[in-house]
Amino acid sequence: MLIPLHNLFIGQKGKIVSLNIEGESTKNRLIAMGITPGKFIELAHVSPFGDPLVFKIGEKKVVLRRSEASRIIVDVPYKVFNLLESEIGKYEIIDIKGGRNFVEEMRSMGLYKGVNINLVNKLGNRIIIEVDGKKYELGRGRASKIFCKKVE
């Protein structure tokens, strides 16, 4: 699946496919940093306001603006969604973002990294999920903090 580099999830790796950079000097700077087609790149850190982004290429860390990262296309094995963006179907939880209390509450419901869930229904501001035969209702805010990938 081809996506822009800025859409990677923290810890997700992708293979660089193309650099859609217009300025020759910017393209040369990226190539000098090791951002070339065929190399694997991983999102390591997102700054507090979302820009810039820190990526790892091998053992080297590279900082890019979101606008630059949006012009680099990578091939990834899966796309990460939050539950709010997801369609009805089966998913595996990749991460849960939030405070300690939120993460503990989700864990008490059986929601944690690696667990398979079934998104049963989306009713306006409510998301209905099923975990181990139990159904739970989540609001938009909570659903937007649970990140997952589609499972076949």
Side-chain angles (χ1 to χ4, degrees), residues 89-125:
K90 296 181 187 286
Y91 295 89
E92 178 185 336
I93 295 177
I94 299 298
D95 199 10
I96 297 178
K97 299 289 184 191
R100 183 170 33 101
N101 290 338
F102 176 71
V103 172
E104 298 264 332
E105 185 181 350
M106 294 299 106
R107 182 172 283 285
S108 72
M109 295 167 59
L111 300 174
Y112 49 89
K113 187 175 180 175
V115 169
N116 287 333
I117 62 171
N118 187 16
L119 196 152
V120 178
N121 207 342
K122 293 175 91 170
L123 304 167
N125 291 336

Side-chain angles (χ1 to χ4, degrees), residues 2 4 9 23 25 32 35 45 57 59-60 63 66 72 77 89 92-93 100 103 111-112 114 121 130 134 144 147:
L2 299 178
F9 187 78
S25 64
I35 300 173
H45 179 76
I57 301 174
E59 294 300 314
K60 191 168 46 172
V63 178
R66 185 174 285 278
I72 299 169
E92 178 185 336
I93 295 177
R100 183 170 33 101
V103 172
L111 300 174
Y112 49 89
N121 207 342
E130 184 177 4
K134 296 179 188 171
S144 67
F147 295 89

Side-chain angles (χ1 to χ4, degrees), residues 10 18 33 73 79 96 108 120 147:
I10 292 177
S18 67
M33 288 192 288
I73 305 301
K79 184 168 174 18
I96 297 178
S108 72
V120 178
F147 295 89

